[in-house]
Amino acid sequence: MDTKQIAQRLVELCREGKYDQAQQELYGKDAVSIEGDGQKTEGVTRGFDAIRIKSKQWADNLVEVHGGSVGEPIVAGNWFSVVMGLDATYKDMGRVAMNEVCVYQVRDGKIVHEQFFYDMGGA
């Protein structure tokens, strides 16, 4: 798959809430995930297995999803971005509305880099 096809597939799976399947299908084994600005070491997760653990911890912290949105991807070469929103209640934070810009890099038909830029509280 090329970058546009991977972007469309990621959007499709995220809209269906199939985040686990998206990672299994689309992520490379050496992928890197960065939360926020990536300035803190604990915000960087390296490797497919570590990203899966991070995702499981996030899912285990969810109490209820009240709503969400996944925009259309914007593709530029080997990069694409998607605007996503989530209104959810978490065990450790209570109810939080969040909007984010998700940026992905594709190499050799797999997502190898993801970075999330967001403000909490729907700002």
Side-chain angles (χ1 to χ4, degrees):
M1 286 193 283
D2 65 17
T3 302
K4 185 176 180 180
Q5 291 168 320
I6 289 170
Q8 289 292 347
R9 182 66 176 150
L10 180 72
V11 164
E12 175 187 338
L13 291 169
C14 288
R15 285 180 177 159
E16 295 173 4
K18 297 178 179 177
Y19 306 108
D20 186 60
Q21 183 178 343
Q23 288 176 340
Q24 290 286 351
E25 279 186 32
L26 303 173
Y27 282 56
K29 66 177 182 151
D30 295 326
V32 174
S33 178
I34 302 173
E35 291 289 334
D37 63 12
Q39 297 301 309
K40 299 175 185 172
T41 305
E42 64 268 13
V44 179
T45 305
R46 298 183 185 281
F48 179 78
D49 292 336
I51 290 171
R52 303 271 295 141
I53 291 168
K54 178 182 93 160
S55 295
K56 183 176 182 337
Q57 290 170 340
W58 173 80
D60 288 347
N61 191 33
L62 276 175
V63 174
E64 182 179 358
V65 174
H66 308 285
S69 61
V70 180
E72 291 298 320
I74 299 171
V75 179
N78 293 321
W79 293 85
F80 69 94
S81 63
V82 181
V83 174
M84 295 189 195
L86 183 64
D87 179 7
T89 301
Y90 297 88
K91 292 175 186 172
D92 64 351
M93 296 185 294
R95 187 168 179 173
V96 177
M98 183 177 82
N99 293 298
E100 63 185 332
V101 175
C102 311
V103 179
Y104 302 89
Q105 182 184 24
V106 175
R107 186 172 46 240
D108 298 326
K110 294 289 185 182
I111 293 172
V112 295
H113 178 99
E114 66 178 10
Q115 187 164 0
F116 306 107
F117 301 90
Y118 50 85
D119 293 317
M120 303 301 274

